[in-house]
Amino acid sequence: MKFVDEYRDPAAARQILGHITELAKDGHYKFMEVCGGHTHTIYKHGIENVLPETVELVHGPGCPVCVIPMGRVDDAIAVAETPGVIFTSFGDMMRVPGGNGNLLEAKARGADVRMVYSPLDALRIAIANPDKKVVFFAVGFETTAPSTAVTVMKAMEKGVTNFSLFCNHVTIVPPLKAILDSPDLRLNGFLGPGHVSTVIGNRPYRFVPAQYGLPLVTAGFEPLDILQSILMLLRQIDEGRCEVENQYTRAVPEHGNPKALEILAEVFELRPHFEWRGLGFISQSALKLREKYAAWDAELLYEVPGVRVADPKACQCGEVLKGVIKPWECKVFGTACTPETPIGTCMVSSEGACAAYYNYGRFTKHQTVAVELGRSKAPAPV
Amino acid sequence: MCLGIPGQVVEIIDPADHRATVDVDGVRREVNVGLVMGDAGGIKVGDWVLIHVGFAMTKIDEEEAASTLEFIKQLGSVYDDEIRDFSAEAPL
Ligand code: SF4
């Protein structure tokens, strides 16, 4: 599987599907794909439609934008509306609704809210505007947290005191535990997240086979990666094995990125608990700045309401994030809730399951991955 | 924001400060390479990396880079958004 073409080879797809169908013929298998990137591939290529009926994919909590609760968005807006503050955020977070509107609306009301690509851009803005206070809205799993950590270390090193972090970084393992402990869902295995694993490696997932007796395969993002990972899960089950396997060895080293892990440990510590949208409070599931970096901690520097805001009644993001319902089963999906007027977070981020399904929902049962793959044949590799 | 986008290192601006210029499909921008400096062979001009929010996250080989880029391009708006964000100057 070296060259571009091979990742989309319709013959290979058909062959893997054949093996999947064979192995899954006498049961019903429910696998959760943890990562929003996988959800995207699955809808885009209509993978659900070509899998045998005995294999079901459910979407997990791996979209960092989707799991930020309403109360934290309200806190962000309160900081953004503090006089003298320039509030910086990834574009994805700007339209996430809180109890009191979203950041774009705060901007329209006069708050200085700016979209940045990188936390380092936020630091640059702070250096360019010494008379203002610049706050960065940090969200993301372990993929993103090292970048924020480096930025805070740089702020300290350069003595930039008008920069701070509103930290909402979360970690991937606790929500997996929460889902496994919840009685709502019976899973047979996981497609492990690709990019988070480039940082944390595969070891942190060992509790899944060890404590819950389920297999986990860290998966890449190409359609064939997903199919191959499903096959690897079924093979484990068929052979009576139960382990953590890595399908995405092209990008995921077994032990992750030691440098990034070291920096994470230097800058952050675990919060006692953190609220996740739809999953409620999960203990030790999020990061905060260590005491040493208190001078850059926006939560210590600004007055925030810090209240818990219940999700709107109509919103079923919680069930979607836990994989209990499919996006289209939510009553407001595609009617009151669309990417233009999102009610829930899963519709805001392009990695959210609802947005992915809304954008690619046109696939029908009769389209095959092979057709789709054949149509999008990639150019020959250089 | 969660997708890693592949790029090729075209210049090391300042090794001590981990600054390098990376080319993603013809668009260039400065990224931080501090998180991959310790990888086998360090980081040098010509290397391919997976970039996330302005940081190189992991070294990849050329075929993986080509395949990932092709894949992200197929996602359409996701690619457009990523490239737009990648090429945007900090709004100073
Ligand atoms: S359709 Fe909207 S409200 Fe319903 S689960 Fe999806 S994002 Fe949430």
Side-chain angles (χ1 to χ4, degrees):
Chain A
M1 297 265 290
K2 262 255 157 198
F3 297 107
V4 179
D5 271 351
E6 291 172 53
Y7 296 111
R8 316 228 166 73
D9 179 1
R14 243 173 285 137
Q15 206 178 12
I16 298 176
L17 274 168
H19 291 309
I20 289 175
T21 309
E22 177 58 29
L23 280 180
K25 69 176 187 305
D26 298 320
H28 188 91
Y29 301 91
K30 211 182 231 193
F31 300 130
M32 173 174 277
E33 91 273 4
V34 174
C35 173
H38 290 151
T39 308
H40 220 103
T41 303
I42 287 163
Y43 283 140
K44 161 83 183 171
H45 292 278
I47 288 178
E48 288 199 308
N49 300 327
V50 295
L51 286 171
E53 307 221 313
T54 48
V55 177
E56 190 186 339
L57 293 176
V58 295
H59 319 304
C63 160
V65 172
C66 303
V67 300
I68 300 294
M70 306 256 279
R72 295 296 280 188
V73 177
D74 289 347
D75 292 351
I77 290 172
V79 176
E81 291 187 327
T82 308
V85 164
I86 300 176
F87 194 81
T88 57
S89 166
F90 293 134
D92 279 8
M93 279 310 297
M94 306 274 271
R95 287 186 311 122
V96 173
N100 182 24
N102 63 26
L103 280 166
L104 273 185
E105 288 158 14
K107 187 181 167 80
R109 285 196 297 267
D112 191 347
V113 178
R114 303 184 193 182
M115 196 187 102
V116 291
Y117 165 68
S118 167
L120 283 175
D121 289 343
L123 183 61
R124 234 168 262 145
I125 294 171
I127 294 167
N129 296 276
D131 53 328
K132 296 277 180 150
K133 299 208 176 299
V134 175
V135 182
F136 177 66
F137 193 3
V139 298
F141 284 94
E142 287 95 331
T143 332
T144 321
S147 309
T148 315
V150 168
T151 306
V152 172
M153 286 169 80
K154 281 210 180 296
M156 180 187 250
E157 196 183 295
K158 297 188 173 172
V160 185
T161 52
N162 65 327
F163 174 78
S164 63
L165 205 67
F166 179 47
C167 185
N168 293 273
H169 284 304
V170 286
T171 58
I172 192 72
V173 164
L176 293 186
K177 283 206 170 109
I179 284 169
L180 284 164
D181 286 334
S182 121
D184 296 351
L185 195 63
R186 289 269 157 265
L187 290 172
N188 301 95
F190 287 95
L191 298 179
H195 289 141
V196 168
S197 308
T198 62
V199 173
I200 66 173
N202 287 311
R203 273 182 303 184
Y205 306 123
R206 285 190 192 155
F207 76 95
V208 177
Q211 290 171 30
Y212 295 90
L214 295 178
L216 180 145
V217 174
T218 304
F221 295 91
E222 300 273 346
L224 282 190
D225 287 332
I226 305 271
L227 291 178
Q228 200 187 353
S229 302
I230 292 170
L231 181 56
M232 287 167 78
L233 285 169
L234 287 167
R235 284 220 168 108
Q236 285 202 34
I237 295 169
D238 183 55
E239 291 164 12
R241 287 182 297 128
C242 178
E243 25 191 274
V244 175
E245 284 185 302
N246 185 3
Q247 183 274 338
Y248 197 32
T249 49
R250 316 191 297 277
V252 175
E254 194 54 28
H255 299 299
N257 183 331
K259 181 79 201 162
L261 290 171
E262 187 191 308
I263 287 171
L264 278 183
E266 154 70 23
V267 175
F268 296 117
E269 63 188 22
L270 286 170
R271 288 176 194 269
H273 35 249
F274 189 76
E275 188 194 354
W276 291 59
R277 192 174 291 229
L279 300 174
F281 284 90
I282 305 180
S283 60
Q284 309 216 311
S285 65
L287 304 174
K288 70 190 277 282
L289 286 165
R290 285 188 186 277
E291 178 77 41
K292 184 179 166 191
Y293 297 93
W296 289 272
D297 189 345
E299 276 174 273
L300 303 175
L301 301 173
Y302 298 90
E303 282 285 333
V304 295
V307 287
R308 179 163 191 274
V309 182
D311 287 337
K313 273 237 158 44
C315 173
Q316 291 187 275
C317 292
E319 278 103 317
V320 168
L321 287 168
K322 281 188 286 193
V324 176
I325 65 165
K326 300 284 166 122
W328 62 89
E329 291 171 328
C330 173
K331 280 180 225 58
V332 291
F333 175 84
T335 51
C337 186
T338 65
E340 285 71 45
T341 55
I343 292 178
T345 42
C346 304
M347 197 55 106
V348 178
S349 165
S350 58
E351 275 125 41
C354 294
Y357 188 75
Y358 187 89
N359 290 330
Y360 300 124
R362 61 186 184 279
F363 287 101
T364 68
K365 191 85 192 163
H366 303 295
Q367 271 174 301
T368 66
V369 167
V371 170
E372 165 66 11
L373 293 167
R375 190 148 42 79
S376 53
K377 196 165 161 30
V382 280
Chain B
M1 74 171 250
C2 243
L3 281 173
I5 192 160
Q8 187 175 30
V9 178
V10 291
E11 187 198 355
I12 307 283
I13 307 169
D14 179 351
D17 210 17
H18 307 153
R19 295 167 59 206
T21 306
V22 167
D23 180 303
V24 172
D25 203 21
V27 181
R28 290 184 177 200
R29 136 168 214 139
E30 182 181 326
V31 304
N32 182 294
V33 291
L35 299 173
V36 291
M37 296 280 262
D39 287 15
I43 198 90
K44 54 189 183 314
V45 169
D47 283 348
W48 291 87
V49 288
L50 211 49
I51 305 154
H52 172 67
V53 301
F55 286 75
M57 296 305 297
T58 188
K59 267 169 58 165
I60 49 179
D61 66 23
E62 187 171 347
E63 284 88 8
E64 173 63 13
S67 138
T68 307
L69 186 64
E70 194 53 46
F71 167 67
I72 297 174
K73 278 186 174 172
Q74 275 192 40
L75 294 181
S77 64
V78 175
Y79 170 77
D80 298 338
D81 292 352
E82 192 66 32
I83 282 286
R84 188 202 55 223
D85 294 351
F86 180 81
S87 56
E89 301 266 326
L92 302 179

